[in-house]
Amino acid sequence: MSSMVITSGGGKKVNAEYRGFTIETDQSVKNGGEASAPEPFTLFLASIGTCAGIYVYSFCEQRGIPSENIRLVQHHFKKDDGRGIGKITIDIEVPPDFPEKYYDALVKSANLCAVKKHIQDAPEFEVMTRVRQS
C-alpha cells in the first residue's frame, strides 16, 4: 500500500503530498478559486498525455531517435449529453524525417501508458470518514 496525503491550501486550493512532492491544485476564478494552479480534472487529463509521452520519448531515446521535434496533442470530446469526457484522442506529431517504419511502434508505445490502463480497468473506489489519530 502507498499513501498520498491531501490537505487544504486555503480557499479552493487543495494539495496532494506524495513521494516528496507537493502537487498544488486550485479552482478557476469562475468556480470560486484564484486560478493559481491547475484544477484537479486538468491534472487528470494531463496525466494521460504525459504518461503516453514518457513511453513515446523513451521509445525514441532507446533507439537514438531525436525526440525534440515530436509532440503529442491530446483532444477531449464531450459525451453526447454534454456531461463529461466521452472520448480522448492523442495525435503523435513527428517531423517529416521521422522513420515511417516506427509510426505503429510509437502508437503501441503510447498505449502502454499505465494511466490509460487504469482507466480502462478501473480500480475499486472506497471513501470513508475516520477519526484522525494524533
Side-chain angles (χ1 to χ4, degrees):
M1 175 178 78
S2 62
S3 299
M4 181 180 288
V5 177
I6 313 301
T7 58
S8 172
K12 298 289 184 176
K13 298 174 183 150
V14 177
N15 300 325
E17 301 206 16
Y18 189 65
R19 295 185 177 173
F21 292 99
T22 300
I23 303 163
E24 298 178 351
T25 70
D26 196 0
Q27 292 294 305
S28 66
V29 173
K30 177 181 93 173
N31 289 324
E34 298 174 16
S36 65
E39 292 180 306
F41 194 72
T42 301
L43 291 178
F44 165 72
L45 292 173
S47 73
I48 298 165
T50 56
C51 182
I54 193 66
Y55 283 94
V56 167
Y57 296 126
S58 293
F59 174 89
C60 292
E61 181 182 40
Q62 291 168 358
R63 285 156 186 80
I65 301 169
S67 62
E68 55 273 352
N69 290 320
I70 297 172
R71 70 180 196 160
L72 285 74
V73 180
Q74 182 172 300
H75 304 278
H76 315 111
F77 300 89
K78 293 187 183 259
K79 291 181 180 177
D80 289 340
D81 66 5
R83 302 179 72 176
I85 303 292
K87 182 177 181 180
I88 296 172
T89 64
I90 299 174
D91 296 330
I92 305 168
E93 296 181 348
V94 297
D97 62 343
F98 189 88
E100 190 173 340
K101 69 179 182 177
Y102 290 129
Y103 285 11
D104 289 341
L106 284 182
V107 171
K108 287 178 185 175
S109 294
N111 280 325
L112 294 172
C113 167
V115 175
K116 177 185 167 208
K117 288 182 177 185
H118 276 81
I119 293 168
Q120 292 174 322
D121 185 18
E124 177 183 333
F125 285 82
E126 182 179 339
V127 180
M128 63 193 77
T129 300
R130 296 179 188 240
V131 174
R132 182 175 174 181
Q133 302 298 314
S134 299

